[in-house]
Amino acid sequence: MSMQLLPSSFKRKHAMENTSNTSMEMDEESLADVRRDNAIKTRCVKFGVDYIERKNSPQQSQRTLRRRTKSSPRLSYSVRGASTILIALFVVVGIFFFQVGDRFRDKNLWKSFTIPDMQEHFKCEEAFATTRPWWTSDQWREVRDLYHAFAQENKGTYQMADDNDTFDFSDIAEPFQASEEKGRGLRAARDIREGELVLRITNNMIVITDGFTYRKFMFAVEERFPTFACDIMTWNWAQDLDDEGEKFGMVVDLNDNNLLNAGDEETDANVWCGTYGEEDSCDMKNLTFYAARDIRKGEELLGDYGEFVSYHSRDELGL
């Protein structure tokens, strides 16, 4: 049987129908896929929102913390322990450096102390709140021994007289408690005639020529004999060491000569400094004291500080 040839128009129509059917089938399959994908995405989004909400909830945070703590207790304790140790270490180190800094500052602060600063540092006000005793001969000897050892290592000080130059005034003047206001003082141990020598320079009188050496000696005395430095700072005086007023020093007697109080408006000085009868003769070369008039036994000995004290010299020494 011979095959009948189909007209070309029929072939084209049939091809179009097949293509249309295929397209329809593909469209239906694509639509199904889209719907399936949308459903999956919807479930995923819903699940994600629920997961995020659960994750951010306080209950979930507590459960997570308990789970982590339960799962790794040693690690948690180690971290917390290490943090505590570090904090404690920082605190200890901070306290250490703070104390060291204070000690360093305190250790060097004395180099700029004035006499009032040292009096405050040594708590002299508390020391003078009660009646102060006068020093014994043995105590004075110990202080002089301390000074001699100090002078061997420090150049800013010297004695006013040779070691053999001594003067015993114990039969002329004696220490006593003058009054509550004045404190200790000197009184005549016997009747003293006008013009008679009462006190003079001895090897016990020392001069300190700079503020640094003075401070150093005061701290040495205070360390060895507590509160004794308070007495010395009360008794010593500043004086010009030359006639030109270019050299200055702090002068102090390391014996009971220090107890000579000053006269006042009610009681004139009865002790003359310098050559008796000569005005303005009291200086570093002539620190001698004579009776300005007859003095009866038991009467307090009083001097005129203005004759020998140079008030500006202390400022020049930084004290």
Side-chain angles (χ1 to χ4, degrees):
M1 178 176 171
S2 61
M3 182 176 295
Q4 187 178 359
L5 297 176
L6 296 175
S8 58
S9 60
F10 176 81
K11 292 180 180 180
R12 284 195 301 270
K13 181 180 180 181
H14 184 71
M16 292 178 60
E17 290 178 356
N18 289 339
T19 302
S20 176
N21 291 337
T22 303
S23 299
M24 291 178 61
E25 292 177 0
M26 289 179 63
D27 291 341
E28 292 179 358
E29 291 178 0
S30 299
L31 182 60
D33 291 340
V34 170
R35 290 175 179 174
R36 184 168 56 253
D37 292 341
N38 290 338
I40 292 173
K41 290 179 180 180
T42 302
R43 287 196 298 271
C44 289
V45 170
K46 186 175 183 303
F47 174 77
V49 172
D50 293 341
Y51 174 75
I52 292 173
E53 291 177 353
R54 288 197 304 272
K55 183 177 180 181
N56 293 335
S57 65
Q59 295 82 359
Q60 181 64 24
S61 299
Q62 293 178 1
R63 285 195 296 270
T64 302
L65 179 60
R66 286 196 298 269
R67 209 163 40 241
R68 291 176 179 175
T69 304
K70 186 175 180 180
S71 61
S72 55
R74 293 183 180 179
L75 178 60
S76 178
Y77 293 150
S78 298
V79 172
R80 284 184 292 178
S83 301
T84 303
I85 292 173
L86 285 175
I87 294 173
L89 181 62
F90 280 125
V91 171
V92 171
V93 171
I95 294 175
F96 172 77
F97 279 106
F98 180 78
Q99 292 178 344
V100 169
D102 279 350
R103 290 178 183 176
F104 180 79
R105 288 190 293 271
D106 291 342
K107 187 176 181 180
N108 291 276
L109 190 61
W110 68 272
K111 296 179 180 179
S112 61
F113 273 1
T114 61
I115 289 178
D117 292 333
M118 285 184 282
Q119 289 173 332
E120 180 179 359
H121 183 76
F122 297 149
K123 299 181 179 179
C124 294
E125 185 176 354
E126 295 180 12
F128 289 124
T130 57
T131 302
R132 298 286 295 167
W134 45 82
W135 297 10
T136 66
S137 298
D138 290 338
Q139 289 173 325
W140 277 121
R141 188 178 301 108
E142 291 180 7
V143 172
R144 289 193 290 267
D145 290 341
L146 173 64
Y147 170 76
H148 292 148
F150 177 85
Q152 290 179 357
E153 300 178 357
N154 297 272
K155 298 181 179 180
T157 182
Y158 60 88
Q159 293 173 258
M160 286 289 295
D162 296 333
D163 289 338
N164 297 326
D165 190 353
T166 61
F167 176 70
D168 185 7
F169 64 92
S170 60
D171 67 327
I172 303 174
E174 61 183 8
F176 80 114
Q177 194 68 31
S179 66
E180 183 178 352
E181 182 180 355
K182 288 183 179 180
R184 294 156 291 184
L186 286 177
R187 66 186 177 187
R190 58 171 175 80
D191 290 342
I192 305 174
R193 297 184 306 241
E194 180 181 351
E196 185 178 350
L197 179 64
V198 178
L199 304 170
R200 72 172 179 83
I201 293 174
T202 68
N203 61 342
N204 296 326
M205 181 176 287
I206 66 171
V207 180
I208 301 177
T209 58
D210 63 84
F212 177 79
T213 303
Y214 177 86
R215 298 181 191 98
K216 195 174 181 180
F217 181 59
M218 290 301 105
F219 273 86
V221 172
E222 182 66 18
E223 183 178 0
R224 180 78 176 273
F225 309 102
T227 74
F228 276 30
C230 296
D231 286 335
I232 293 178
M233 286 186 288
T234 302
W235 296 330
N236 60 200
W237 68 90
Q239 189 164 343
D240 292 339
L241 302 182
D242 59 4
D243 296 333
E244 293 75 22
E246 296 178 354
K247 295 181 180 180
F248 318 97
M250 297 297 295
V251 184
V252 65
D253 271 314
L254 298 182
N255 57 22
D256 286 334
N257 285 3
N258 289 310
L259 301 179
L260 178 67
N261 287 321
D264 52 32
E265 295 179 356
E266 297 180 0
T267 307
D268 293 333
N270 54 15
V271 175
W272 179 288
C273 178
T275 303
Y276 181 67
E278 294 185 13
E279 295 288 344
D280 301 326
S281 61
C282 181
D283 54 29
M284 287 298 295
K285 299 176 182 178
N286 193 18
L287 278 176
T288 51
F289 298 86
Y290 297 88
R293 57 173 175 79
D294 290 338
I295 303 173
R296 298 176 58 182
K297 180 181 178 179
E299 187 178 348
E300 183 176 8
L301 302 177
L302 300 171
D304 183 358
Y305 287 177
E307 292 180 327
F308 54 92
V309 175
S310 176
Y311 295 100
H312 73 91
S313 297
R314 203 171 97 173
D315 295 333
E316 295 291 341
L317 296 171
L319 297 172

